[in-house]
Amino acid sequence: DYNKAQEAFERALAIARQVRDVDLQMRTLAAWAQVDYFHLHLAESLEKSLQVVELARHTDDPHLRVNGHLHALQALIHLGNSKDAEEHAEAALALAERLKARPWLASVLRCGVNLYRFLGDWSRARELALRHLALEPDPVPLLKELVSLEYELGESEQGEVHLKQMQEVMRRTPPRPGPEYADTSLVSHFASRITGSPDYLEIGGQAAQVVLSSALAHPFWIEIVRTGLALKAVDTKDYALAQEQYIALMGLPGKMRGSYICADRLMGLLSHTLGNNDNSLGNS
């Protein structure tokens, strides 16, 4: 319930400011930024994350400072602001390394892989990915980035290895809206598009339905699976499926879809599939 969460955050922040508790202000803003992000309120998430970073400069809590940089990084990637994202990525990584905080370091490394993959800095993306794998052997969000990285570089065999790892983790996980199903759905459709093979379409579609049929799926996971279904619609020339995804994705904030593909490019491909060539040229 996003609206009730907002009310609770507003009360918490008002209390923190009333008693001049800066630490509580930061904790409230950090949690609020995360909820905003998962509901695709990207500008609001970024604003609160930057407030956390600024407040943390005047306190002795580097953990919250990492939190602020990390959530700012996530929002900036989604918004397509690579320059500012890179600054926060480096700041967050330096802090996480200094703290030797395993969870924070893993999250920062994964977001770094995502960012440097978009920037085409393949060596940096691989370096951060290898460091992440040393912390966790098969984290689904990182494997999502590795599948894309390997397939885009023409390393299909290694991409397939990572994809099958994701699918195996999904099979061991009870059905729920989370990375095990949402991310696996997206990369299964992505791999099918890259390879031209329909082998992964069935499992990708099944995973998508788990997310879309859940009342607990928040907009972040829904955007991810609809991005995958959009790729499927384009590849299979499925007009009805393309129209459904076009309507669902139209007007969403940010320049990236599912933190995976350029939003304008995806909408252009869908427009072309729907026979709207003028609109597709405008998007792409």
Side-chain angles (χ1 to χ4, degrees):
D1 190 329
Y2 180 75
N3 291 330
K4 285 190 176 180
Q6 300 307 292
E7 294 173 7
F9 280 130
E10 286 170 0
R11 290 200 301 273
L13 190 59
I15 292 169
R17 286 172 172 165
Q18 183 179 0
V19 300
R20 298 182 180 179
D21 188 331
V22 177
D23 183 73
L24 184 57
Q25 287 184 53
M26 288 192 294
R27 292 179 183 278
T28 302
L29 288 166
W32 199 346
Q34 187 173 24
V35 171
D36 277 343
Y37 179 71
F38 279 109
H39 284 79
L40 301 184
H41 290 264
L42 304 177
E44 294 90 336
S45 178
L46 177 59
E47 179 185 3
K48 295 178 180 73
S49 299
L50 294 177
Q51 288 182 55
V52 173
V53 172
E54 183 57 34
L55 287 169
R57 297 184 196 280
H58 310 290
T59 68
D60 189 28
D61 194 334
H63 292 274
L64 281 171
R65 194 169 175 186
V66 174
N67 185 311
H69 282 300
L70 175 61
H71 289 142
L73 169 60
Q74 290 176 319
L76 287 163
I77 290 173
H78 219 124
L79 289 166
N81 185 338
S82 59
K83 181 178 181 295
D84 289 344
E86 195 166 5
E87 292 179 8
H88 285 280
E90 295 303 323
L93 183 57
L95 278 168
E97 288 174 334
R98 194 180 81 196
L99 291 170
K100 297 181 180 178
R102 189 186 184 102
W104 286 120
L105 185 55
S107 295
V108 172
L109 288 170
R110 177 188 58 77
C111 288
V113 175
N114 190 13
L115 171 64
Y116 289 107
R117 179 176 64 81
F118 286 141
L119 293 174
D121 190 341
W122 313 116
S123 60
R124 180 65 168 157
R126 282 192 184 282
E127 173 199 343
L128 298 181
L130 288 173
R131 291 184 58 188
H132 192 305
L133 287 171
L135 295 174
E136 298 178 84
D138 59 355
V140 168
L142 175 65
L143 291 174
K144 168 191 172 187
E145 306 301 336
L146 285 173
V147 170
S148 175
L149 183 63
E150 299 296 356
Y151 274 114
E152 287 180 346
L153 292 176
E155 301 292 343
S156 298
E157 290 185 8
Q158 190 57 50
E160 187 175 30
V161 169
H162 295 314
L163 177 55
K164 288 184 175 178
Q165 283 180 276
M166 291 182 68
Q167 292 172 345
E168 181 54 35
V169 172
M170 185 187 77
R171 292 187 185 97
R172 299 196 306 262
T173 304
R176 65 188 184 194
E180 298 87 359
Y181 285 83
D183 287 348
T184 301
S185 174
L186 172 57
V187 298
S188 296
H189 288 123
F190 176 81
S192 292
R193 175 171 175 76
I194 289 286
T195 61
S197 168
D199 292 349
Y200 303 122
L201 290 180
E202 183 177 0
I203 192 170
Q206 290 171 349
Q209 283 308 118
V210 167
V211 176
L212 293 177
S213 63
S214 173
L216 299 178
H218 49 56
F220 178 79
W221 299 125
I222 292 173
E223 183 197 47
I224 285 177
V225 298
R226 289 203 177 278
T227 297
L229 290 172
L231 293 174
K232 176 183 178 180
V234 170
D235 289 342
T236 59
K237 297 180 173 54
D238 187 325
Y239 185 94
L241 186 64
Q243 187 174 48
E244 179 186 350
Q245 308 321 311
Y246 188 91
I247 292 171
L249 295 170
M250 171 79 79
L252 289 183
K255 294 185 178 181
M256 305 303 297
R257 286 290 160 261
S259 296
Y260 218 66
I261 185 174
C262 173
D264 285 342
R265 175 166 173 74
L266 186 63
M267 298 305 283
L269 291 169
L270 286 171
S271 294
H272 180 71
T273 303
L274 294 171
N276 190 343
N277 292 327
D278 290 341
N279 195 32
S280 70
L281 288 171
N283 278 300
S284 59

